[in-house]
Amino acid sequence: GESVGLHLPTLSVQEGDNSIINCAYSNSASDYFIWYKQESGKGPQFIIDIRSNMDKRQGQRVTVLLNKTVKHLSLQIAATQPGDSAVYFCAENKRNQGGKLIFGQGTELSVKP
Amino acid sequence: DVKVTQSSRYLVKRTGEKVFLECVQDMDHENMFWYRQDPGLGLRLIYFSYDVKMKEKGDIPEGYSVSREKKERFSLILESASTNQTSMYLCASSSPRDREGDEQYFGPGTRLTVT
């Protein structure tokens, strides 16, 4: 069956370093992916998205890379800050099913000062 | 900014009680969703709705029902609460009219404990 998963449950980085959070998906027909950030006690917040016709998309301090060959997605955060500490989820968007999302289990990012 | 609100942040109920979780969004979104979030299992879709009066089962609908009488409001109902329904419940909304059409906006969540 299809699934969206993350390689590591936790990631610890030093403040100022770059962070890379990985995600694997199994449905080669997926055409849209989203990264969410969930801070403690809050609901998930949209960070960035990417369509399957793109390999890379950049936002403010964040970059998402998509490798369709190996069905791998990554989120890169530049100059990680304490405020980036959160759980990060990738999600596959099933556009032809009314916008349903399938979430991975999440990676908890801890930023050390 | 899109705002999705949930009626309670924390709720404690007894086994067998009927529980109502309310969600309201203020952006005239057509789509609304209910998820539960559990450690190690991520977010799982319970029910969703594309429009008023419409509902669709998600991946884990058993033990739950929903109601969408008004466009802005989507209610999750636990007919007879059980301890295995202790969880964080998240509501979300989206609209096919928004830019990419599929970004979901989440509420702050309701942490439900069933004793």
Side-chain angles (χ1 to χ4, degrees):
Chain A
E2 61 188 20
S3 65
V4 180
L6 292 165
H7 292 320
L8 294 173
T10 60
L11 177 65
S12 183
V13 300
Q14 204 71 36
E15 181 178 358
D17 287 351
N18 296 335
S19 303
I20 299 176
I21 300 172
N22 296 306
C23 180
Y25 64 95
S26 60
N27 186 352
S28 57
S30 300
D31 63 357
Y32 184 58
F33 302 90
I34 302 175
W35 280 102
Y36 280 88
K37 173 186 180 182
Q38 186 176 23
E39 295 175 275
S40 181
K42 297 182 179 180
Q45 291 181 296
F46 173 90
I47 302 173
I48 194 168
D49 57 8
I50 188 167
R51 291 212 170 273
S52 59
N53 60 352
M54 301 171 69
D55 297 323
K56 179 179 179 179
R57 193 173 188 193
Q58 288 185 292
Q60 188 178 10
R61 281 203 305 118
V62 295
T63 300
V64 55
L65 299 177
L66 177 62
N67 185 330
K68 296 178 285 295
T69 302
V70 295
K71 292 184 284 187
H72 182 268
L73 191 69
S74 69
L75 177 70
Q76 300 179 1
I77 304 173
T80 313
Q81 302 168 1
D84 294 326
S85 294
V87 176
Y88 291 82
F89 295 93
C90 64
E92 168 195 1
N93 189 300
K94 303 187 77 173
R95 196 163 176 63
N96 62 350
Q97 293 194 24
K100 286 174 61 177
L101 290 176
I102 298 176
F103 286 85
Q105 294 189 18
T107 291
E108 183 173 9
L109 176 65
S110 298
V111 182
K112 296 178 288 186
Chain B
D1 283 347
V2 175
K3 193 170 183 181
V4 180
T5 57
Q6 296 183 227
S7 52
S8 305
R9 294 300 303 273
Y10 301 94
L11 209 52
V12 180
K13 296 292 181 180
R14 293 191 179 277
T15 301
E17 279 193 83
K18 190 169 186 176
V19 182
F20 292 87
L21 301 182
E22 304 286 345
C23 175
V24 178
Q25 50 90 9
D26 66 359
M27 284 301 291
D28 199 36
H29 281 175
E30 289 81 2
N31 305 331
M32 296 189 76
F33 306 83
W34 273 107
Y35 297 88
R36 63 177 285 176
Q37 184 176 27
D38 301 286
L41 297 176
L43 278 77
R44 293 179 292 167
L45 182 63
I46 304 172
Y47 266 97
F48 58 105
S49 170
Y50 295 137
D51 204 345
V52 178
K53 305 283 188 182
M54 297 181 70
K55 60 183 178 183
E56 297 282 343
K57 292 181 179 179
D59 300 317
I60 51 163
E62 295 77 19
Y64 304 95
S65 62
V66 291
S67 174
R68 185 115 183 253
E69 296 297 317
K70 293 185 177 181
K71 191 175 186 180
E72 67 270 20
R73 186 179 298 270
F74 192 35
S75 304
L76 180 69
I77 304 156
L78 286 66
E79 295 290 342
S80 178
S82 63
T83 54
N84 62 13
Q85 292 179 308
T86 292
S87 186
M88 169 70 86
Y89 289 88
L90 290 161
C91 175
S93 72
S94 70
S95 173
R97 294 177 284 113
D98 286 351
R99 44 191 192 104
E100 296 289 354
D102 299 315
E103 176 189 344
Q104 291 184 18
Y105 298 84
F106 283 85
T110 295
R111 185 165 294 280
L112 172 67
T113 302
V114 182
T115 61

